[in-house]
Amino acid sequence: MSKGEETFIGSIDQGTTSTRFLLYDHSVRVIGSHQVEFTQFYPEAGWVEHNPMEILESVRVCIAKALDKATADGYNVDSGLKAIGLTNQRETTVVWSKSTGCPLYNAIVWMDARTSSVCRKLEKELPGGRTHFVEKCGLPISTYFSAVKLLWLLENVDAVKEAVKAGDALFGTIDTWLIWNLTGGVKGGIHATDVSNASRTMLMNLKTLDWDKSILESLKIPATILPKIVSNSEVIGKIASGWPITDIPISGCLGDQHAAMVGQACRKGEAKSTYGTGAFILLNTGEEIIQSKHGLLTTLAFKLGPQAPTNYALEGSIAIAGAAVQWLRDSLGVIGSASEIEEMASQVSSTGGVYFVPAFNGLFAPWWRDDARGVCIGITRFTSKAHIARAVLESMCFQVNDVLGSMHRDAGEKGEVKNDKGEFLLRVDGGATVNDLLMQIQADLLGSPVIRPKDIETTALGAAYAAGLAVGFWTEDEIFDSGEKTKTSTVFRPILDEELRKKKVESWCKAVARTFDLADLSL
């Protein structure tokens, strides 16, 4: 088949710090891509926002540039593009005007902690306290989730209050905002979200896969502003005029961590960890909903079609992973670029007793302490930049180890798939996994192997798979053929002495305990 006769699937990957658009051929080769970073705003301590219009523009630029690159390389994308998949940062919340298409406030980002007081108020008022909604939606009351961000907007932003009263407000996570605009916006845009993103709002019932009326009533959130919920793999609508591509179906949509599960081909009993701004570990529990007793979230894994079975997952969310490396670079100037941290950390064989806990906006799983703040302890006159750099890398791995420990306890032996050596393999992906030292530290602190695929950008791939599956571009067998995928993977095996590993984990837990109850330190 010549380049001009090939067919392709596009993938919009809208992350916390940047947007990408990738074009895949049937052999899962990237034939064109482009990435654009956008601004993060920090209006106050603990607040994080994005400009929704800037995100829209980043999508427009990425699509146009990726198409230009593929066309310049001889690919006939105009006639060969079959569908678009979408994956996005989860929980980030937008409310906009149905009539004007304009946001009524900046997007409140998933890691934003301004809703602490909203959460405390709900915990006091509701009979079940922090876990009041867990049985229905799988999530505790936390600053993390979209519902409390929406409550903050309803209580504090006059434009939002007025638009809701007038019937002119639409709510959504970033996937919803993009789908509405891509399919026409004020001229008939489709107001929809998918089951994975909906499962992160704190408003969707895990069993019915629909908005839960009792939760909406408890929180006084009007159902009229909520989008329709669809599966992860079905034709949602077609791209309208005014975009670099038109009349192409959007047929796949997943939250970024769920997309990575599909991209990693995680079947029941298999887990993946994605290392980005934060780190997110999900274990596929199949069609069984497992309520965690050890600080994890119960969530959707994926539902690959309207009639397909629903796969659920246990998830551990870590707020700060790669963001700690960005902090070293941007706020402290310890490194000039993120890639420099591996070389700097390699200059020492250990942290010299330094432990760094990046609780910048509190701690997520399994601790769930929004009163926590970052600490760096164990510093002596001997401590150098290299020790701190290594401690930052270790902090990511310790947090993943905390989450996996909880997963092992919740899922039990029957809930995990092991290889013929009796080993549980953690699949890893995301930009930070190019760091071999980080991956070796991760294997050492887990005491079990870590497997890195040849293509570490599995989030975009998962969205492409879902879109392609809906239009018959790929089959489910092709997507989940794990044997073929692991042939080209890199495996990191633990080499750290088991006794030392246990001592380091104990020291880490000591350091974590030092972060609690620090949110009200005087400025």
Side-chain angles (χ1 to χ4, degrees):
M1 183 185 287
S2 69
K3 282 185 178 181
E5 296 171 330
E6 285 188 67
T7 51
F8 314 100
I9 296 290
S11 179
I12 300 169
D13 181 359
Q14 199 292 302
T16 308
T17 58
S18 65
T19 301
R20 300 183 305 155
F21 182 71
L22 296 90
L23 287 160
Y24 292 92
D25 66 10
H26 191 271
S27 64
V28 201
R29 215 164 31 103
V30 176
I31 58 104
S33 68
H34 192 74
Q35 179 167 326
V36 171
E37 289 196 5
F38 51 83
T39 314
Q40 291 206 78
F41 301 98
Y42 306 96
E44 295 184 27
W47 293 30
V48 191
E49 297 178 358
H50 292 152
N51 179 344
M53 300 306 288
E54 187 183 0
I55 288 176
L56 276 189
E57 185 57 25
S58 72
V59 170
R60 186 185 305 278
V61 170
C62 284
I63 292 174
K65 296 282 189 184
L67 292 175
D68 287 348
K69 288 175 185 175
T71 303
D73 286 339
Y75 295 98
N76 189 354
V77 182
D78 287 341
S79 63
L81 187 58
K82 294 303 177 189
I84 296 288
L86 169 63
T87 179
N88 59 287
Q89 52 171 310
R90 304 173 304 167
E91 296 95 15
T92 298
T93 299
V94 192
V95 179
W96 68 95
S97 163
K98 192 190 319 185
S99 59
T100 69
C102 295
L104 299 170
Y105 191 82
N106 269 348
I108 300 180
V109 179
W110 57 272
M111 66 177 81
D112 185 287
R114 76 184 68 186
T115 53
S116 294
S117 59
V118 177
C119 294
R120 297 296 80 77
K121 183 167 174 271
L122 289 173
E123 287 172 16
K124 286 178 184 174
E125 290 176 353
L126 297 168
R130 187 172 159 273
T131 59
H132 184 78
F133 301 120
V134 163
E135 191 175 338
K136 290 181 177 177
C137 70
L139 309 176
I141 294 169
S142 165
T143 60
Y144 188 13
F145 305 114
S146 310
V148 292
K149 301 179 195 301
L150 175 56
L151 288 179
W152 187 92
L153 288 166
L154 290 168
E155 291 171 10
N156 294 279
V157 181
D158 289 340
V160 172
K161 292 181 204 172
E162 290 162 11
V164 170
K165 281 182 189 173
D168 188 43
L170 295 176
F171 155 83
T173 41
I174 295 295
D175 59 306
T176 306
W177 167 246
L178 292 181
I179 290 168
W180 189 79
N181 280 283
L182 285 164
T183 57
V186 293
K187 298 177 181 176
I190 294 167
H191 190 215
T193 188
D194 74 274
V195 285
S196 65
N197 276 294
S199 77
R200 312 300 298 181
T201 60
M202 216 171 79
L203 301 174
M204 190 192 83
N205 187 298
L206 284 175
K207 292 176 184 172
T208 66
L209 306 186
D210 205 349
W211 303 119
D212 189 282
K213 289 181 182 176
S214 65
I215 297 178
L216 295 180
E217 287 169 6
S218 295
L219 299 179
K220 299 181 175 60
I221 290 174
T224 51
I225 69 173
L226 304 179
K228 171 188 170 187
I229 301 175
V230 300
S231 77
N232 298 121
S233 181
E234 62 180 275
V235 175
I236 301 168
K238 291 189 175 182
I239 296 181
S241 60
W243 290 90
I245 45 178
T246 56
D247 210 35
I248 305 297
I250 299 171
S251 58
C253 183
L254 306 98
D256 50 11
Q257 305 314 318
H258 314 266
M261 285 201 92
V262 176
Q264 287 271 36
C266 285
R267 298 179 187 269
K268 181 180 178 181
E270 296 176 334
K272 68 90 204 172
S273 178
T274 300
Y275 301 74
T277 303
F280 304 88
I281 307 93
L282 279 81
L283 173 72
N284 188 333
T285 61
E287 296 179 52
E288 182 182 3
I289 297 174
I290 296 179
Q291 297 288 358
S292 175
K293 293 181 172 62
H294 300 94
L296 301 181
L297 309 175
T298 305
T299 192
L300 258 286
F302 46 77
K303 181 180 176 66
L304 296 176
Q307 306 307 318
T310 303
N311 275 238
Y312 294 93
L314 283 169
E315 175 175 339
S317 308
I318 294 163
I320 304 295
V325 179
Q326 294 166 353
W327 175 75
L328 278 186
R329 180 193 66 193
D330 301 337
S331 298
L332 299 190
V334 171
I335 50 177
S337 66
S339 59
E340 289 177 21
I341 193 168
E342 182 173 10
E343 183 183 350
M344 182 176 286
S346 297
Q347 293 170 10
V348 289
S349 59
S350 75
T351 65
V354 173
Y355 288 81
F356 173 72
V357 187
F360 295 160
N361 285 352
L363 288 170
F364 287 176
W367 309 97
W368 297 107
R369 296 288 300 241
D370 58 24
D371 64 337
R373 289 297 179 268
V375 302
C376 187
I377 63 173
I379 299 170
T380 66
R381 184 65 185 81
F382 172 69
T383 303
S384 68
K385 288 192 293 186
H387 291 111
I388 291 173
R390 194 173 183 106
V392 166
L393 293 185
E394 283 197 357
S395 73
M396 295 189 218
C397 303
F398 276 122
Q399 291 180 95
V400 171
N401 185 54
D402 289 342
V403 167
L404 271 175
S406 292
M407 275 180 184
H408 294 323
R409 290 191 287 276
D410 277 331
E413 285 292 316
K414 292 179 181 177
E416 299 171 349
V417 171
K418 296 183 178 178
N419 65 10
D420 52 10
K421 296 179 182 176
E423 298 170 321
F424 179 78
L425 302 176
L426 177 66
R427 301 169 183 220
V428 296
D429 56 72
T433 60
V434 298
N435 186 325
D436 285 351
L437 176 60
L438 176 69
M439 293 296 94
Q440 186 57 54
I441 291 172
Q442 185 66 84
D444 285 340
L445 293 180
L446 289 177
S448 58
V450 165
I451 182 166
R452 180 179 67 194
K454 184 179 180 182
D455 178 6
I456 60 169
E457 300 298 349
T458 56
T459 304
L461 178 59
Y465 275 153
L469 184 64
V471 296
F473 190 83
W474 286 298
T475 65
E476 205 160 325
D477 285 344
E478 286 174 315
I479 292 170
F480 285 94
D481 188 357
S482 299
E484 284 301 309
K485 288 183 171 64
T486 54
K487 284 179 185 176
T488 56
S489 300
T490 304
V491 179
F492 296 85
R493 295 190 175 278
I495 55 177
L496 188 67
D497 174 75
E498 178 62 15
E499 195 58 37
L500 178 57
R501 186 186 80 82
K502 287 179 179 175
K503 286 180 179 176
K504 285 175 74 69
V505 170
E506 286 172 8
S507 296
W508 163 257
C509 291
K510 237 185 235 185
V512 169
R514 300 292 192 274
T515 70
F516 299 161
D517 198 25
L518 297 181
D520 58 353
L521 290 177
S522 297
L523 297 175

